């Protein structure tokens, strides 16, 4: 008998797989006798024990009958044994791509065209936005809470809406620091803002529905909206946030996504007048607003601004919070504060998707918040981020003062440096040259729907100590002068 083994894993497993494929593909017929183990071992140049082990495995799984060692016969397993068409050889560049649903095709295309994130991770100075800030006190408090939560873990499925203890803590936090009055019934725990976008698209959008995005905006939200087949309309952003006169007045817009506390990525803070105009527009057009409050906690020259949600009298705002910036992104926990009319549907969608977020992490987080370690971390993080931002800005002025204009609103974990003397193509050259010198830079252009008039860089500063930020800005200045 001739069989080709696939070379993966132990020999007996390769032989088992080869024989199964031959049986299922109809190359070995039902009721036929398999070769004696000694014969097959000789034919395939295997040890007899290997063949014995494969036959025993096939017998255990019901593919063959009889006594291993004294005649084994292929079992009759019905329709599965119909001869299979010969599979087409996969394309040389990799496996052939299977056809997908319309949505699936859109997702695959988004994956192919994704913005390469964290591509400079290995470089000496990496100004990647969104890197978590290291805090040893937080790390040890988190380890303690996690161990405690694991020891007392509930093992049944969690409440799909999220642990009540965590929802209570979030409500307390929101009332104290974000001006939002919410009850635990209004809160849904999700695995990060990304899942919140996904649930919103699933529940609120049909293909072809219109969605408003700020331009520029966070690419993760745009990708979800594109995957759902929505028509995307970009609205300009200026120093007061989204330009409300750009909001569509004709036709039906279902959703508008905004970052009022700290526009991503431009850094603008939405003025009160714009907030009121946006809410009035949503009420009159029947549109839902998603407030993505990803880093509204971190303001350095004043107290954090109250969230847009705190002004929402008509119940049009879905408030999205995430622990990715205030703690760290690998946690994958966030939450939505829902208007009452959307509560059941969102909890249902979360339940349908994954039956709820992991209970141990939720319990540990609730305890971290209840014990005050979370707020201690927020205070320490804000202090340290403020100092790093000041260092970055001073070094940027010193080394590249004449070449950049800074878009900064004294908030968040990044600043935008607009390159006043470079063209878009030269900015690409700058990124490449900086990379050769060990500096990871990230252009702002991929965050726009409509190409920006001038190039800019997104400078994430959370993860780098002062000396590194100074060195990074020195290299940036040198590269700018070279170009
Ligand atoms: C503006 C903005 N919104 C949302 C997110 C996503 O957050 P999460 O990690 O909770 O999915 C990010 C992540 O970087 C972000 O920058």
């Amino acid at each position: 008998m001739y069989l080709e083994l696939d070379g993966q894993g132990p020999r007996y497993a390769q032989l088992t797989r080869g024989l199964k494929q031959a049986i299922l593909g109809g190359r070995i017929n039902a009721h036929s006798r398999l070769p004696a183990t000694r014969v097959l071992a000789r034919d395939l140049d295997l040890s007899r024990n290997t063949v014995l082990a494969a036959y025993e495995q096939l017998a255990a799984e019901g593919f063959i009958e009889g006594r291993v060692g004294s005649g084994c016969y292929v079992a009759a397993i019905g329709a599965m044994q119909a001869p299979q068409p010969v599979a087409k050889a996969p394309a040389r560049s990799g496996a052939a791509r299977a056809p997908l649903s319309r949505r699936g095709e859109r997702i695959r295309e988004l994956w192919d065209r994704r913005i390469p994130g964290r591509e400079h991770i290995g470089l000496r100075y990496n100004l990647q936005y969104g890197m978590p800030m290291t805090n040893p006190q937080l790390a040890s408090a988190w380890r303690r809470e996690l161990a405690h939560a694991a020891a007392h873990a509930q093992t049944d499925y969690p409440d799909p809406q999220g642990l009540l203890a965590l929802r209570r803590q979030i409500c307390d936090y929101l009332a104290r620091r974000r001006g939002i009055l919410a009850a635990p019934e209004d809160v849904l725990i999700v695995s990060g803002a990304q899942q919140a976008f996904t649930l919103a698209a699933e529940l609120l959008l049909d293909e072809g529905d219109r969605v408003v995005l700020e331009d520029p905006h966070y690419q993760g939200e745009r990708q979800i909206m594109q995957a759902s087949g929505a028509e995307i309309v970009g609205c300009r952003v200026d120093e007061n946030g989204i330009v409300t006169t750009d909001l569509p007045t004709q036709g039906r817009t279902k959703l508008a996504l905004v970052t009022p506390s700290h526009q991503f990525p431009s850094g603008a803070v939405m003025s009160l007048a714009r907030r009121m105009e946006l809410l009035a527009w949503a009420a009159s057009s029947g549109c839902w607003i998603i407030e993505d409050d990803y880093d509204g906690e971190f303001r350095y020259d004043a107290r954090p601004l109250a969230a847009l949600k705190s002004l929402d009298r008509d119940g049009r705002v879905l408030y999205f919070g995430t622990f990715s910036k205030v703690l760290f992104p690998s946690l994958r926990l966030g939450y939505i504060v829902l208007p009452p009319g959307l509560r059941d549907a969102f909890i249902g969608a979360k339940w349908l998707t994954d039956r709820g977020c992991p209970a141990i992490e939720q319990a540990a987080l609730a305890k971290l918040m209840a014990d005050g370690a979370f707020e201690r971390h927020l205070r320490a993080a804000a202090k340290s981020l403020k100092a790093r931002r000041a260092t970055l800005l001073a070094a940027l002025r010193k080394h590249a003062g004449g070449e950049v204009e800074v878009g900064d609103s004294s908030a968040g974990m990044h600043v935008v440096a607009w390159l006043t003397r470079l063209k878009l193509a030269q900015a690409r050259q700058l990124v490449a040259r900086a990379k050769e010198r060990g500096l990871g830079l990230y252009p702002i252009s991929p965050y726009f729907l409509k190409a920006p008039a001038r190039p800019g860089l997104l400078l994430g500063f959370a993860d780098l100590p002062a000396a590194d930020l100074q060195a990074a800005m020195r290299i940036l200045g040198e590269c700018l002068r070279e170009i």
Side-chain angles (χ1 to χ4, degrees):
M1 177 189 281
Y2 177 73
L3 264 185
E4 198 155 349
L5 304 189
D6 58 19
Q8 291 183 12
R11 294 290 203 116
Y12 91 89
Q14 295 179 37
L15 179 58
T16 310
R17 266 196 303 279
L19 286 167
K20 266 189 210 174
Q21 274 159 13
I23 294 169
L24 291 172
R27 277 185 289 133
I28 308 180
N29 292 327
H31 310 296
S32 60
R33 191 168 198 266
L34 285 183
T37 49
R38 204 182 305 277
V39 175
L40 192 59
R42 192 195 55 223
D43 285 358
L44 298 180
D45 197 18
L46 298 169
S47 79
R48 185 160 173 245
N49 279 346
T50 301
V51 180
L52 272 172
Y55 278 19
E56 267 158 15
Q57 182 66 30
L58 290 170
E61 293 184 26
F63 282 84
I64 59 176
E65 291 161 345
R67 270 218 6 254
V68 176
S70 62
C72 288
Y73 294 86
V74 176
I77 45 181
M80 286 165 75
Q81 264 166 308
Q84 304 279 311
V86 179
K88 264 199 199 152
R92 275 186 160 248
S93 58
R97 296 192 139 192
L100 301 170
S101 65
R102 281 205 302 273
R103 185 182 162 80
E105 293 292 353
R106 288 194 294 266
I107 291 175
R108 186 153 61 189
E109 202 189 321
L110 285 162
W111 170 247
D112 289 343
R113 289 192 287 115
R114 70 196 174 279
I115 301 176
R118 286 159 166 67
E119 62 194 310
H120 302 314
I121 275 303
L123 295 188
R124 174 75 182 85
Y125 308 107
N126 178 23
L127 295 175
Q128 167 77 56
Y129 152 77
M131 296 297 282
M133 207 195 62
T134 336
N135 173 353
Q137 278 84 37
L138 171 72
S140 68
W142 178 245
R143 267 198 305 278
R144 196 175 52 243
E145 299 306 357
L146 210 48
H148 182 269
H152 299 84
Q154 139 197 358
T155 49
D156 194 9
Y157 285 101
D159 180 345
Q161 189 173 359
L163 233 64
L164 182 58
L166 178 58
R167 287 186 280 127
R168 284 197 178 122
Q169 288 300 326
I170 288 172
C171 290
D172 268 12
Y173 162 78
L174 290 176
R176 267 182 292 117
R177 301 193 65 110
R178 312 296 301 120
I180 296 173
L181 295 181
E185 309 84 87
D186 304 323
V187 176
L188 172 66
I189 308 292
V190 289
S191 58
Q194 199 62 22
Q195 185 173 52
F197 295 128
T198 308
L199 298 181
E202 211 169 274
L203 292 169
L204 302 176
L205 295 178
D206 289 310
E207 254 177 67
D209 279 348
R210 187 186 290 162
V211 172
V212 166
L213 298 186
E214 296 169 318
D215 200 18
H217 51 259
Y218 174 56
Q219 81 281 12
E221 69 185 34
R222 180 183 70 221
Q223 288 156 347
I224 295 288
M225 302 304 143
Q226 285 173 328
S228 71
E231 178 204 342
I232 291 173
V233 176
C235 280
R236 279 171 305 147
V237 166
D238 64 16
E239 64 283 6
N240 292 315
I242 191 167
V243 176
T244 39
T245 47
D246 273 11
L247 290 166
T249 48
Q250 304 293 315
R252 195 158 150 64
T253 304
K254 289 277 180 67
L255 213 51
L257 286 83
V258 288
T259 42
S261 305
H262 189 223
Q263 204 280 327
F264 185 85
S266 77
V269 175
M270 198 186 291
S271 67
L272 183 60
R274 294 271 174 90
R275 288 174 191 233
M276 300 315 286
E277 284 158 18
L278 181 64
L279 289 170
W281 170 81
S284 68
S285 64
C287 172
W288 297 105
I289 295 177
I290 288 178
E291 176 178 21
D292 175 14
D293 201 13
Y294 65 106
D295 73 355
E297 178 61 50
F298 296 126
R299 272 206 78 73
Y300 309 120
D301 57 356
R303 285 173 61 77
L305 299 178
L308 174 72
K309 176 76 186 162
S310 67
L311 301 169
D312 176 28
R313 302 281 163 261
D314 298 296
R316 306 306 304 171
V317 178
L318 291 78
Y319 176 88
F320 288 7
T322 173
F323 289 98
S324 288
K325 305 286 179 273
V326 285
L327 289 177
F328 44 91
S330 66
L331 184 57
R332 305 314 302 136
L333 283 176
Y335 48 91
I336 312 180
V337 179
L338 290 158
L342 293 178
R343 265 192 322 231
D344 290 354
F346 272 77
I347 298 166
K350 172 69 182 165
W351 164 79
L352 206 57
T353 305
D354 59 14
R355 299 295 195 255
C357 288
I360 294 177
E361 279 81 355
Q362 290 191 68
L365 181 52
K367 193 80 185 331
L368 196 81
M369 295 177 89
D371 290 353
F374 176 62
E375 292 220 8
R376 275 197 297 282
H377 164 69
L378 289 182
R379 280 195 295 276
K383 199 166 151 209
S384 159
L385 288 169
K386 182 177 180 175
R388 287 180 183 191
R389 176 183 150 273
T391 304
L392 176 90
L393 291 176
L396 189 58
R397 262 195 308 276
K398 178 170 169 198
H399 296 292
E403 323 264 345
V404 300
E405 195 181 298
V406 174
D408 176 51
S409 51
S410 197
M413 303 160 95
H414 72 279
V415 297
V416 175
W418 296 104
L419 303 167
T420 48
R421 299 196 196 191
L422 298 193
K423 304 227 168 357
L424 285 168
Q426 289 174 305
R428 280 195 288 278
Q429 248 178 292
L430 174 72
V431 172
R433 184 158 302 197
K435 187 174 178 183
E436 288 163 13
R437 312 266 308 262
L439 171 63
L441 293 177
Y442 297 84
I444 199 172
S445 48
Y447 300 92
F448 280 81
L449 280 176
K450 192 162 167 274
R454 55 187 177 166
L457 298 171
L458 207 65
L459 306 176
F461 57 79
D463 188 35
L464 292 182
D468 285 5
L469 290 169
Q470 282 160 344
M473 290 307 99
R474 186 175 39 71
I475 299 174
L476 172 62
E478 287 164 6
C479 294
L480 276 167
R481 274 186 296 283
E482 285 166 22
I483 291 171

